[in-house]
Amino acid sequence: MNRYKTELMVGVFVLMTIAALLLLALKVANQTVVTDGDTYTLYAKFDNIGGLKVRSPVKVGGVTIGRVSSIKLDSDDYSPVVELTIQAEYNAFPETSSASILTSGLLGEQYIGFEPGFTIDGVENLADGDYIEDTSSALVLEELIGQFLFSRSSEE
Amino acid sequence: MDYLVNVDNMTFSRGERVIYDGVSLRVPKGKITAVMGPSGIGKTTLLKLIGGQLQPDSGDITFDGDSIVNMSRRELYQTRRRMSMLFQSGALFTDMSVFDNVAFPLREHTKLSESVIATIVSLKLQAVGLRGAAQLMPSELSGGMARRAALARAIALDPDLIMYDEPFAGQDPISMGVLVKLIRELNDALNLTSIVVTHDVTEVLTIADYIYILADKRIIGEGTAEQIKHSDSELVQQFLRGEADGPVPFHYPAPSLQESMLGEEV
Amino acid sequence: MNWIRQIGRTTLDRVSATGRAGLMLFGALIAPPSIKNIPLTIKQVYVVGVQSLAIIIVSGLFIGMVMALQGYTILTDYGAEGSLGPMVALSLLRELGPVVTALLFAGRAGSALTAEIGLMKATEQLSSLEMMAVDPLRRVVAPRFWAGMLSMPMLALIFSAVGILGGHLVGVDWLGVDAGSYWSIMQSTVDWDKDVINGVIKSLVFALVVTWIAIFKGYDSIPTSEGISQATTQTVVFSSLAVLGLDFVLTALMFGIE
């Protein structure tokens, strides 16, 4: 085995690994949205978060503007508090904006659908650390079925 | 006389099996010393003990006055640069050419330039008659040539001591003659000290200056070729003449045939 | 009483083999890496890494393609073909990449390492190195060990990347999943640290175990043709079992608790 060819092939091997890493880094894995760039934090309190997870996306009209960075239980009233990390360039949402937990597709992942509210005088923009007042919880299938059956039986 | 290697009352065993029991032998400087004995008594083991690859249970082995047994790893590696060993199989590195094999110890242990190394390697290969085979791979060599190439590698660093492990085993008469000549000539020309371990009686008697005969875990005879030939020990005579039965029994120890065949009736 | 003694003896044998394996690795790695060893290591990367590339690329491609095919038929029932990308990528990065690479590596490179070192022992090359005052642990074992540690994670990354491309080939080009959603949903699901880095860590652990077993089995083999063939078989069996067992432990540690 001559040495030149060995070294050449090992070089090819290394380049292939770098190409694989680049593919994984740029096209496959998402490492940029939250960790890089300026962000600010909002909080939202829900009754029920369903299957929401840390790192679930926050979307406005389908565009991802941030991610869920942590989920805790409020120590006073035991309802879940979700911390949202939003990219700093989207910083002019009014206080009247609403957040709801939605599901993509029938069995898809859950995400936070963020709906910018109306702006009139006296309504300020949401700032770092604010709570979103208007929230609607995740739909839980069992509860829906329960309500459906309940309404059926009360009709009869 | 000056002795290069001194084995003093050495005992060695493998597991339960005792290989050597109180063996003492001395190897004089600048001479060829032969160690003979029947197969399977651990002659190769003796060389490994001298090389420090194995540790004796008791007794001492010295090389040029320094005890191999008590050496630190570092000292042992330093000492090994002054000895070399020709293995029975040759033990050439199969992934390198003959040239690279002979150059190997030089590249490992010296800082010589490639051109100097090439010169030395050519000289060593010339000495064993294989300069023309420098670019061949070990797999392309015959058994005798492989052993000569290994010999060139063994003398690459001009060692003080060279140990031959069964150099004649499985060689045709011509290769054998070549090896006998090489061992003798290299020993005299390079002022080496040689230890030849073998069971080929006739070859050894022609070249060895001093002979030890090992059997049954100890040394049963020693002397110059003349003294050995005229030894009155039955054991030595049996070995020299190659008799099937004698003090070294033909049968591996076993209960008598009658007993095993007829069972408990007897 | 005999079977109790048998248990005792087996235990002692295992413990002493583990001790010898540890000493071997320690002896090989204690030495400061010398410049002379770099070309040797590169050569071994060629032997264990580059020569395993073909089998890794072909297997990765086909596993990615098969997963896309299987995943598609299941996911279309729920109208969730969009999740094909993350399914393929996550299975490859978290599990199949490291594990299948390690198994193929054990079969392709591990067995060759064992046989090579075993034969070097049988033909007295190791002994002869020692007599030439060259430590076989540093000269033979260390370069092969480092080459294994380097090559396996590289192979695993290539395996996963090729598999994802294979999934793309079948899912997008053939079955008609939208290319944009294949990549974008994959991108929003796959996490760099949690999935890619954890996969690499798994691969490093497997590399350590497989290379160590392969080298030790060769180094500790009985230098006869029977002994070497046995050692080669044991390398493949032991390292495959070790990889699968360790994979469970590592998965539990990495993904089990959340």
Side-chain angles (χ1 to χ4, degrees):
Chain A
M1 190 66 235
N2 87 43
R3 193 162 157 186
Y4 173 78
K5 197 182 159 203
T6 308
E7 284 170 1
L8 184 76
M9 290 307 291
V10 171
V12 171
F13 182 33
V14 172
L15 287 180
M16 285 178 72
T17 310
I18 292 172
L21 260 179
L22 283 179
L23 178 87
L24 295 178
L26 299 180
K27 291 213 82 171
V28 176
N30 191 333
Q31 49 172 345
T32 47
V33 172
V34 176
T35 44
D36 293 351
D38 289 336
T39 58
Y40 68 102
T41 309
L42 294 177
Y43 294 94
K45 201 182 260 189
F46 295 93
D47 293 331
N48 191 323
I49 59 161
L52 197 72
K53 291 188 184 66
V54 173
R55 291 197 57 79
S56 292
V58 179
K59 294 181 181 182
V60 175
V63 177
T64 303
I65 59 160
R67 286 185 185 275
V68 172
S69 49
S70 82
I71 298 171
K72 289 199 248 348
L73 214 49
D74 189 293
S75 49
D76 294 332
D77 58 4
Y78 299 109
S79 57
V81 177
V82 176
E83 185 184 301
L84 310 174
T85 305
I86 311 288
Q87 282 170 279
E89 55 183 300
Y90 307 111
N91 59 358
F93 295 114
E95 284 181 327
T96 50
S97 303
S98 64
S100 39
I101 297 176
L102 303 173
T103 308
S104 55
L106 184 59
L107 295 168
E109 59 169 352
Q110 289 192 303
Y111 65 96
I112 291 192
F114 192 77
E115 197 72 39
F118 56 87
T119 332
I120 48 168
D121 286 348
V123 176
E124 290 179 25
N125 284 344
L126 285 168
D128 189 37
D130 281 357
Y131 272 76
I132 300 167
E133 300 295 336
D134 184 4
T135 64
S136 52
S137 292
L139 292 175
V140 177
L141 205 57
E142 291 88 334
E143 284 179 4
L144 280 180
I145 294 171
Q147 279 170 9
F148 175 70
L149 292 178
F150 183 72
S151 62
R152 284 281 296 271
S153 60
S154 63
E155 273 172 27
E156 286 165 9
Chain B
M1 195 183 286
D2 239 359
Y3 294 100
L4 188 63
V5 177
N6 208 333
V7 178
D8 184 27
N9 197 21
M10 180 265 297
T11 300
F12 178 77
S13 52
R14 259 209 175 109
E16 310 268 293
R17 201 163 82 96
V18 179
I19 311 264
Y20 295 121
D21 191 8
V23 166
S24 298
L25 55 83
R26 292 184 295 180
V27 178
K29 253 185 196 160
K31 304 280 183 197
I32 298 178
T33 304
V35 178
M36 297 202 286
S39 317
I41 57 148
K43 296 189 295 291
T44 309
T45 309
L46 180 67
L47 297 185
K48 289 196 168 171
L49 282 159
I50 295 174
Q53 286 186 299
L54 297 171
Q55 288 279 321
D57 300 341
S58 67
D60 198 9
I61 299 167
T62 59
F63 178 84
D64 207 8
D66 302 319
S67 165
I68 300 259
V69 181
N70 300 322
M71 270 182 193
S72 71
R73 204 185 136 77
R74 195 187 182 80
E75 290 166 331
L76 185 61
Y77 271 83
Q78 283 297 328
T79 309
R80 278 187 190 154
R81 294 186 190 191
R82 297 175 51 200
M83 44 170 99
S84 68
M85 182 157 164
L86 183 70
F87 286 85
Q88 192 171 347
S89 58
L92 291 170
F93 302 124
T94 41
D95 55 347
M96 301 179 192
S97 68
V98 170
F99 180 93
D100 289 331
N101 261 287
V102 180
F104 181 85
L106 296 164
R107 288 182 181 147
E108 281 296 317
H109 292 310
T110 68
K111 292 194 164 65
L112 298 174
S113 71
E114 270 305 306
S115 63
V116 177
I117 287 179
T119 314
I120 298 177
V121 172
S122 295
L123 287 174
K124 302 293 176 188
L125 283 172
Q126 177 73 19
V128 298
L130 286 181
R131 196 161 50 85
Q135 293 313 320
L136 295 183
M137 296 303 281
S139 54
E140 299 169 284
L141 301 178
S142 72
M145 282 159 81
R147 221 165 281 186
R148 275 149 69 192
L151 183 55
R153 184 178 67 181
I155 57 172
L157 280 175
D158 293 320
D160 297 338
L161 171 71
I162 181 161
M163 297 185 271
Y164 300 89
D165 184 12
E166 300 280 5
F168 312 116
Q171 297 292 310
D172 62 74
I174 300 175
S175 319
M176 208 164 304
V178 170
L179 280 165
V180 169
K181 179 171 158 286
L182 274 175
I183 293 174
R184 182 78 253 177
E185 281 181 357
L186 288 175
N187 195 75
D188 297 345
L190 303 175
N191 198 21
L192 291 168
T193 304
S194 309
I195 303 176
V196 183
V197 153
T198 182
H199 50 241
D200 290 282
V201 176
T202 39
E203 283 72 27
V204 161
L205 289 180
T206 59
I207 55 165
D209 296 308
Y210 202 79
I211 299 166
Y212 288 94
I213 299 183
L214 274 170
D216 196 23
K217 304 165 201 164
R218 59 201 169 79
I219 288 175
I220 57 159
E222 60 179 285
T224 60
E226 270 320 293
Q227 288 168 333
I228 290 281
K229 275 182 203 160
H230 299 109
S231 163
D232 47 8
S233 156
E234 276 181 66
L235 217 53
V236 173
Q237 288 306 327
Q238 186 202 355
F239 186 75
L240 289 184
R241 294 200 207 103
E243 285 160 357
D245 212 349
V248 177
F250 171 68
H251 291 288
Y252 192 83
S256 82
L257 185 65
Q258 218 178 7
E259 234 173 82
S260 357
M261 289 293 171
L262 302 177
E264 285 165 31
E265 287 167 41
V266 178
Chain C
M1 280 326 251
N2 235 351
W3 63 275
I4 299 182
R5 187 170 160 237
Q6 190 67 41
I7 293 176
R9 191 162 70 201
T10 314
T11 313
L12 286 178
D13 283 353
R14 289 281 173 273
V15 170
S16 89
T18 314
R20 285 201 306 280
L23 281 177
M24 181 201 76
L25 198 63
F26 183 75
L29 304 186
I30 186 81
S34 83
I35 301 166
K36 272 182 188 162
N37 266 350
I38 293 174
L40 287 175
T41 308
I42 290 178
K43 192 178 166 205
Q44 290 305 320
V45 170
Y46 179 82
V47 174
V48 300
V50 174
Q51 294 192 344
S52 307
L53 262 180
I55 188 173
I56 290 293
I57 289 175
V58 172
S59 316
L61 188 70
F62 276 100
I63 285 186
M65 284 162 66
V66 165
M67 277 206 313
L69 209 53
Q70 290 280 13
Y72 181 81
T73 50
I74 296 169
L75 290 172
T76 37
D77 288 350
Y78 304 98
E81 305 95 283
S83 302
L84 189 65
M87 189 205 92
V88 171
L90 286 182
S91 333
L92 279 168
L93 288 170
R94 289 184 177 180
E95 287 298 330
L96 292 172
V99 173
V100 177
T101 303
L103 295 179
L104 291 173
F105 188 88
R108 166 67 186 73
S111 57
L113 277 179
T114 307
E116 188 196 13
I117 296 180
L119 274 171
M120 285 177 90
K121 189 179 182 187
T123 54
E124 296 174 313
Q125 291 182 46
L126 294 183
S127 257
S128 120
L129 274 174
E130 244 179 78
M131 284 308 299
M132 278 189 254
V134 176
D135 188 346
L137 289 177
R138 291 176 199 177
R139 174 89 200 181
V140 174
V141 170
R144 282 166 177 77
F145 177 79
W146 288 121
M149 289 297 285
L150 267 175
S151 301
M152 174 123 48
M154 289 166 79
L155 290 170
L157 283 170
I158 293 174
F159 185 96
S160 298
V162 169
I164 289 168
L165 292 177
H168 182 275
L169 194 70
V170 168
V172 176
D173 298 337
W174 184 13
L175 296 172
V177 174
D178 179 52
S181 72
Y182 184 83
W183 291 116
S184 67
I185 300 183
M186 188 189 291
Q187 213 173 72
S188 68
T189 320
V190 176
D191 182 63
W192 180 259
D193 292 341
K194 201 171 124 189
D195 300 317
V196 181
I197 298 297
N198 271 351
V200 172
I201 292 172
K202 267 189 178 181
S203 200
L204 277 170
V205 175
F206 297 158
L208 170 75
V209 172
V210 173
T211 320
W212 190 3
I213 289 178
I215 294 174
F216 177 67
K217 280 289 165 195
Y219 195 75
D220 203 48
S221 64
I222 302 157
T224 59
S225 42
E226 197 194 6
I228 292 170
S229 85
Q230 199 182 12
T232 312
T233 313
Q234 281 180 350
T235 292
V236 177
V237 173
F238 287 1
S239 44
S240 303
L241 291 178
V243 163
L244 295 172
L246 271 174
D247 182 46
F248 178 77
V249 176
L250 288 173
T251 306
L253 286 177
M254 289 171 175
F255 302 105
I257 311 144
E258 208 172 330

